[in-house]
Amino acid sequence: MKTIIAKADNENDIDVLNKAAEIIRSGGLVAFPTETVYGLGGDGLDPAAAKKIYAAKGRPSDNPLILHISHISQLRPLVREIPVSAEKLIKEFWPGPLTLIFKKADIVPYETTGGLDTVAVRFPENRIAQRFITLCGRPIAAPSANSSGRPSPTRASHVEFDLSGKIDMIIDGGHCEFGLESTIVDVSEDKPCLLRPGSVTVEMLEEVLGPIDIDKAVTAKPEAGERPKAPGMKYTHYSPAAKVIIVRGNEENMIKRINELISHTDKSLKTGVIASEETKDRYIADEVLVTGSRENTAQIASNLFKMLRKCDHHNIDVVFAEGLSENELGMAIMNRLKKAAGYEIYDV
Ligand code: AMP
Ligand code: MG
């Protein structure tokens, strides 16, 4: 299949978006920009489209898809009930980078939910995404538009690299503002529970809801055979081909330990460091990749996946990543880094 790649500079690029919507309505797949990462969209109520999504990504079919809507009125038909906690979160954070898990209504096929009786729903803020979903006239099932296991795409070129020839169309809407996948909160049970950290932080959620539960898989490696509440959290993820090792602690100790580890690395291997603006000149690695200033975690989040992908393009074999403290946005960044590192962390 030849993948159409079309630029859309804003939500008024109506020819491109009409073409994309027509593809969705006839059962095809379209990658589109959102404020988190690029999504791989298909008709959210069509089991055949869900199957195509899993096949294109090489995604295990027990890893459910998020349904994207472009108006609040599209939520009610998808879910059994809207609990008070959900109403509060919706009022505060939708449209935006927050996905909510509800008990599913019968019209949502099990192919979309990976066999679960719950459904994940998000109302994205990105205007191109909103206009595209509206033109499709139905909820759009969309996981991240990467090959399963690879870092999520934050540029159309990342999608093209992973999925060209496997999907019908890519809408190129530039880079994604937040750069990390949405926060996921399960509101289907009595106490809201964070399943995946993202740009809507625990601190922001608790300001609205009071104390919430945090699924173990958010910060720690799932035990063998354990099933995290968000099935996707059990898979290795975000991995470049390079081996990723996190070093975390006081800045000077971190720099010293990373340089020691580099000097002990086999000379035939190409080394890299994922560093900050403040520390970038301190390393003896073959290559230093800068995500942003340590004062600006939003910038680090927005560049993280791009840098993980860069490791591959630059044939880096081992990459050391500076750890961050796990509060606010640091929790989401460290969650992705830990998964990329297979939880290999040195505390210094
Ligand atoms: P992605 O869209 O690629 O970021 O992946 C979607 C994430 O949402 C995965 O981690 C899924 O496991 C999670 N997810 C989707 N639907 C549900 C659900 N019904 N219950 C729990 N987690 C879900
Ligand atoms: Mg994904």
Side-chain angles (χ1 to χ4, degrees):
M1 159 190 315
K2 170 123 179 66
T3 302
I4 302 165
I5 301 172
K7 259 203 167 38
D9 291 322
N10 60 61
E11 77 273 19
N12 297 320
D13 277 323
I14 207 71
D15 290 345
V16 169
L17 299 182
N18 265 326
K19 170 81 194 151
E22 194 185 297
I23 290 173
I24 294 287
R25 286 193 301 267
S26 53
L29 302 185
V30 176
F32 63 100
T34 80
E35 68 276 20
T36 58
V37 301
Y38 274 76
L40 176 57
D43 182 337
L45 301 180
D46 174 11
K51 284 186 185 152
K52 279 191 190 173
I53 291 174
Y54 289 112
K57 280 179 61 77
R59 180 174 175 116
S61 60
D62 69 347
N63 188 359
L65 310 175
I66 296 172
L67 289 184
H68 291 68
I69 59 175
S70 58
H71 194 275
I72 296 280
S73 62
Q74 286 174 292
L75 173 64
R76 196 66 196 85
L78 302 175
V79 302
R80 203 104 62 75
E81 60 192 12
I82 302 177
V84 176
S85 57
E87 277 173 6
K88 290 183 185 165
L89 293 175
I90 288 169
K91 187 157 172 267
E92 191 66 31
F93 300 113
W94 276 12
L98 175 67
T99 295
L100 297 174
I101 310 285
F102 299 89
K103 294 195 173 81
K104 85 172 190 71
D106 291 340
I107 60 162
V108 179
Y110 282 111
E111 283 78 0
T112 300
T113 69
L116 297 176
D117 287 315
T118 52
V119 60
V121 185
R122 183 162 99 82
F123 178 176
E125 190 175 21
N126 180 292
R127 302 287 297 227
I128 297 172
Q130 288 183 2
R131 179 59 80 86
F132 163 61
I133 296 164
T134 298
L135 289 170
C136 293
R138 63 202 72 192
I140 297 299
S144 50
N146 52 319
S147 291
S148 198
R150 302 247 313 136
S152 293
T154 56
R155 304 276 187 288
S157 61
H158 300 166
V159 183
E160 189 183 352
F161 186 87
D162 282 13
L163 298 180
S164 184
K166 297 181 176 169
I167 63 178
D168 299 283
M169 183 171 178
I170 300 170
I171 303 172
D172 179 353
H175 78 276
C176 302
E177 181 189 350
F178 292 114
L180 295 181
E181 305 86 347
S182 57
T183 304
I184 303 180
V185 177
D186 185 348
V187 289
S188 71
E189 289 173 36
D190 288 343
K191 189 161 180 207
C193 181
L194 177 77
L195 306 190
R196 179 171 74 184
S199 298
V200 174
T201 65
V202 171
E203 290 81 353
M204 290 157 76
L205 293 165
E206 292 194 330
E207 205 157 295
V208 176
L209 294 180
I212 59 169
D213 286 339
I214 298 179
D215 192 46
K216 253 172 49 191
V218 167
T219 50
K221 180 177 182 169
E223 307 283 332
E226 196 178 357
R227 193 178 157 89
K229 283 199 185 160
M233 296 287 274
K234 75 172 177 278
Y235 296 106
T236 344
H237 236 105
Y238 315 120
S239 328
K243 181 175 173 55
V244 181
I245 297 166
I246 302 170
V247 180
R248 170 172 68 180
N250 150 297
E251 189 168 296
E252 287 307 315
N253 292 347
M254 199 169 63
I255 293 168
K256 185 160 167 264
R257 175 63 72 85
I258 289 178
N259 280 332
E260 276 166 17
L261 289 166
I262 293 169
S263 63
H264 290 123
T265 301
D266 190 315
K267 292 289 170 278
S268 66
L269 299 176
K270 183 167 178 185
T271 57
V273 178
I274 296 183
S276 62
E277 209 46 74
E278 291 84 352
T279 55
K280 65 176 191 230
D281 298 323
R282 306 281 306 276
Y283 292 108
I284 58 169
D286 295 315
E287 195 160 337
V288 177
L289 306 161
V290 181
T291 46
S293 164
R294 289 181 82 79
E295 303 292 310
N296 185 351
T297 43
Q299 190 184 28
I300 294 179
S302 159
N303 286 322
L304 180 67
F305 289 145
K306 187 172 98 173
M307 291 309 159
L308 289 175
R309 282 178 175 262
K310 222 176 202 177
C311 291
D312 283 354
H313 296 308
H314 294 196
N315 298 312
I316 294 172
D317 298 296
V318 189
V319 64
F320 301 93
E322 294 180 348
L324 295 172
S325 58
E326 287 181 64
N327 57 348
E328 300 182 341
L329 198 48
M331 181 189 265
I333 295 169
M334 284 299 285
N335 167 270
R336 308 309 192 274
L337 265 179
K338 283 180 185 173
K339 286 163 137 295
Y343 298 86
E344 190 163 345
I345 305 185
Y346 291 93
D347 279 301
V348 292

